[in-house]
Amino acid sequence: LAKTTQPISMDSYEGQEVNITCSHNNIATNDYITWYQQFPSQGPRFIIQGYKTKVTNEVASLFIPADRKSSTLSLPRVSLSDTAVYYCLVGETWGYQKVTFGTGTKLQVIP
Amino acid sequence: DTEVTQTPKHLVMGMTNKKSLKCEQHMGHRAMYWYKQKAKKPPELMFVYSYEKLSINESVPSRFSPECPNSSLLNLHLHALQPEDSALYLCASSQEGDPSAFFGQGTRLTVV
């Protein structure tokens, strides 16, 4: 299983764009990159998933360079409600396999 | 229905008690998971069920006993727990090839 490395914590002001980078040097060919958001005492919530290049949905963008050894989650114009822990996961799509969480990044949005 | 429902939300139990955590989903997912999460730590995988059969046990102590009675239900039976087992227990489900897994809100367990 590919190991992921993320910054432990980040601070950002409201309204700014936030970029959280995840390193996954030993990503395998079949692995996807998935990001989850977790608020205190709640279950993680799927944000976005990608395999290569760029993926965008209504809440975030995911940038993956050609070598796929890292990825960047981009949150546009964050608000206080985006304060949470963000986890980067690497593995084959969910289903009958072991999926492990890395340490995550604690994002604190400041007014 | 895109929810995973866990009950109870909170549970306090003594070290000699027997209790069960329940998880239910009606999304037709055939894989279900139990995770344990300690404060300020990432979730740790405990068990994986696929098609109602236990496929992965992450060397979890026998005082935790999972059960999958049918494709929609997942139980975690607890017996003779220790105070260090106090944590948030999360259930999740997914379908093969699906890009996302759905998590429940968790059961906050306190062992006294």
Side-chain angles (χ1 to χ4, degrees), chain B residues 89-101:
Chain B
Y89 287 84
L90 295 162
C91 174
S93 71
S94 69
Q95 192 64 286
E96 189 173 25
D98 195 307
S100 62

Side-chain angles (χ1 to χ4, degrees), chain B residues 54-74:
Chain B
L54 182 64
S55 60
I56 295 176
N57 177 341
E58 287 290 276
S59 302
V60 179
S62 59
R63 58 185 184 269
F64 296 91
S65 176
E67 178 196 22
C68 191
N70 59 55
S71 60
S72 300
L73 292 174
L74 187 66

Side-chain angles (χ1 to χ4, degrees), chain B:
Chain B
D1 184 357
T2 58
E3 283 192 349
V4 175
T5 303
Q6 290 188 243
T7 54
K9 289 188 170 22
H10 301 275
L11 178 63
V12 179
M13 61 184 290
M15 289 188 284
T16 58
N17 291 158
K18 286 185 180 181
K19 297 287 185 183
S20 297
L21 309 184
K22 296 185 184 302
C23 174
E24 190 168 5
Q25 56 89 11
H26 296 287
M27 294 176 280
H29 291 171
R30 304 312 298 269
M32 296 185 76
Y33 311 76
W34 280 115
Y35 282 83
K36 172 183 176 180
Q37 187 174 27
K38 301 282 278 183
K40 300 188 186 304
K41 297 291 186 182
E44 296 177 20
L45 183 66
M46 300 175 72
F47 303 104
V48 179
Y49 270 84
S50 62
Y51 288 91
E52 295 101 70
K53 293 193 186 323
L54 182 64
S55 60
I56 295 176
N57 177 341
E58 287 290 276
S59 302
V60 179
S62 59
R63 58 185 184 269
F64 296 91
S65 176
E67 178 196 22
C68 191
N70 59 55
S71 60
S72 300
L73 292 174
L74 187 66
N75 297 322
L76 186 63
H77 303 298
L78 314 173
H79 173 55
L81 294 194
Q82 303 297 311
E84 58 264 29
D85 295 321
S86 299
L88 181 67
Y89 287 84
L90 295 162
C91 174
S93 71
S94 69
Q95 192 64 286
E96 189 173 25
D98 195 307
S100 62
F102 290 85
F103 280 81
Q105 293 290 69
T107 294
R108 173 70 62 189
L109 174 67
T110 303
V111 181
V112 297

Side-chain angles (χ1 to χ4, degrees), chain A residues 34 36 38 41-44 46 49 87 93-99 101-103, chain B residues 30-31 33 35 37 42 45 50-51 58 94-97 99-101 103-104 108:
Chain A
T34 310
Y36 278 79
Q38 187 178 27
S41 295
Q42 292 189 26
F46 172 89
Q49 184 186 66
Y87 291 101
T93 51
W94 287 77
Y96 324 118
Q97 60 157 347
K98 199 159 70 167
V99 178
F101 285 75
T103 54
Chain B
R30 304 312 298 269
Y33 311 76
Y35 282 83
Q37 187 174 27
L45 183 66
S50 62
Y51 288 91
E58 287 290 276
S94 69
Q95 192 64 286
E96 189 173 25
S100 62
F103 280 81
R108 173 70 62 189

Side-chain angles (χ1 to χ4, degrees), chain A residues 17-78:
Chain A
E17 178 185 72
V18 170
N19 295 310
I20 306 174
T21 298
C22 180
S23 172
H24 28 80
N25 290 321
N26 59 340
I27 189 169
T29 303
N30 293 335
D31 286 345
Y32 283 73
I33 300 148
T34 310
W35 286 80
Y36 278 79
Q37 174 193 56
Q38 187 178 27
F39 299 112
S41 295
Q42 292 189 26
R45 183 176 73 99
F46 172 89
I47 301 175
I48 198 166
Q49 184 186 66
Y51 184 80
K52 62 181 179 180
T53 64
K54 178 183 174 183
V55 179
T56 298
N57 62 22
E58 62 276 10
V59 298
S61 294
L62 178 59
F63 299 92
I64 305 168
D67 66 6
R68 304 199 327 123
K69 293 183 185 298
S70 66
S71 58
T72 300
L73 174 72
S74 181
L75 304 171
R77 298 179 299 281
V78 294

